[in-house]
Amino acid sequence: MEVPVQRNAEAGAAAAECGELADPAFWRQPPQARLDAFARLRALGSPVYVPEGRNRGHWALLRHADVQEASRLPKVFASAPGVTTPEPARWVRALFGDSMVNLDGADHARLRKVVQRAFTPRLLAAAEADIHAVAARIVDDVLAERPDEFVSAVSSRLPLEVICNMMGIPERYRPEIADRVNHASENIGVERGLASRLRMPGRGLRALARMQRMVAAIGRERRRNPGDDLISALVCANVDGQALGARQLGAFFSLLMVAGVETTRNAITHGLSLLTDHPGQRDLLLGDFEKYADGAVDEMIRHSTPIIQFRRTVAAEHELGGRLFRPGEKVVLYYASANRDEAVFPDPDAFDITRSPNPHLGFGGGGPHFCLGAHLARVEMKALFRELLTRPVGLRAVGLPDLAGSNFDNRVRSLRFAFDAPGDA
């Protein structure tokens, strides 16, 4: 009789944890507590239902294989009407336009094709050269000024400057854009008080609106006087007769700034913390940076998983993970769980820069929504850590990262850091 009792207890505990995934308090727990809960839910061997109140809920895909399969079946698991939790309201989509991550089928393919064609080999080569120059300049500034907060001084600067340079954003707009990015993303996936929730349209939406008006004005100027930058390529493109209009340009820019800047900055910040907490791995990387850097970057992304989850809506009947999904049901792809799946990653909680293979889902699970910026993000991280680790003055995190407690991204608000004496790095 002991085995059934034990199984019932385990099932009851798992059911309680399913409900916790929709509770903001779950996301304020220490990271390891959340990962342990994911491991227990993965052990059930099938998708689990997460109630969200008022007869609403979603099915959580927690295993690597399930997340990957759903990612590669966009006709079944649709991104529309939205991949975030909660889904964007209709009036928000009407006002700001649909972001590429929220589109499916021909609409998504058409927009992605215009964007991909704009990333010419010449533009990408210039961007990679710029990444190395920006990384060196940031570390020069850090060594000269000796700040003690890593996010503002280092990790947020690199992706912001690189994207602004690539887009051709004039210098006079950049301080305000940095401020707007912070306002637009600060409450994504984070529980807010009643007064904050009732503000309409809200500071985040106002920040997005201001940012989109700014880039629309730049786009109009580039149509008249195109240059070698990405905005010029997007607004002057002629891909099957298509170019980006003002609203499409604004939506793409918002996606690039909020997603591209935030995810890379968080991966970099977690990376410094991981190297500090694992001095043996740091020494290994320093011993032969070029040999281990690519693996280190991918392991930082796997271990930190900058985007925790994306939402999907079932568009066609399909069996996955032992369950039959029906149209209209909601599904959430938990990348943070998939990247710790014991069936794919031996000793998944270990930070191992030699891990090979490392089929992490930090840039998505494949399919048409695989991250467009994956290559540039890797180049940025590698360039910055080369500068940070190979200079004569060592750098280390101090204390734990201050996490936002978001259910959407593994966001770091701040991280203190310090310098070692020469020779101690």
Side-chain angles (χ1 to χ4, degrees), residues 185-365:
S185 62
E186 64 184 343
N187 288 318
I188 297 176
V190 179
E191 183 183 33
R192 293 177 288 166
L194 180 61
S196 176
R197 293 198 304 271
L198 291 178
R199 284 202 304 265
M200 293 297 288
R203 186 162 70 164
L205 292 181
R206 289 199 301 271
L208 281 177
R210 184 68 180 267
M211 217 161 35
Q212 291 200 8
R213 286 197 299 269
M214 219 180 285
V215 77
I218 297 171
R220 287 193 296 271
E221 192 277 328
R222 298 293 157 77
R223 285 190 188 95
R224 294 190 298 267
N225 302 294
D228 294 329
D229 53 82
L230 183 56
I231 289 181
S232 296
L234 290 170
V235 299
C236 298
N238 185 9
V239 180
D240 300 330
Q242 295 286 319
L244 294 196
R247 232 169 36 129
Q248 290 175 319
L249 178 64
F252 175 69
F253 183 69
S254 298
L255 173 65
L256 197 60
M257 296 305 293
V258 175
V261 171
E262 288 289 312
T263 54
T264 306
R265 108 175 182 178
N266 291 327
I268 290 168
T269 308
H270 284 291
L272 178 66
S273 187
L274 286 165
L275 290 176
T276 302
D277 292 343
H278 300 84
Q281 295 295 296
R282 176 180 171 135
D283 290 343
L284 184 63
L285 179 57
L286 275 171
D288 193 336
F289 185 86
E290 293 306 323
K291 178 179 179 180
Y292 295 110
D294 292 332
V297 165
D298 273 315
E299 183 68 347
M300 289 172 188
I301 294 168
R302 182 196 73 87
H303 209 277
S304 64
T305 310
I307 296 294
I308 292 172
Q309 49 105 331
F310 265 156
R311 200 173 185 91
R312 296 288 188 265
T313 299
V314 180
E317 194 171 278
H318 183 78
E319 185 174 346
L320 184 150
R323 183 183 184 279
L324 183 64
F325 288 92
R326 294 179 171 84
E329 292 182 324
K330 302 296 182 179
V331 169
V332 172
L333 317 182
Y334 283 92
Y335 306 112
S337 174
N339 278 344
R340 301 295 179 105
D341 191 338
E342 306 83 352
V344 177
F345 305 102
D347 195 7
D349 291 340
F351 176 65
D352 179 8
I353 67 172
T354 67
R355 189 181 295 276
S356 181
N358 190 352
H360 67 81
L361 306 184
F363 294 115

Side-chain angles (χ1 to χ4, degrees), residues 165 169-175:
N165 290 346
I169 304 296
E171 291 285 346
R172 65 183 181 277
Y173 292 124
R174 298 188 184 192

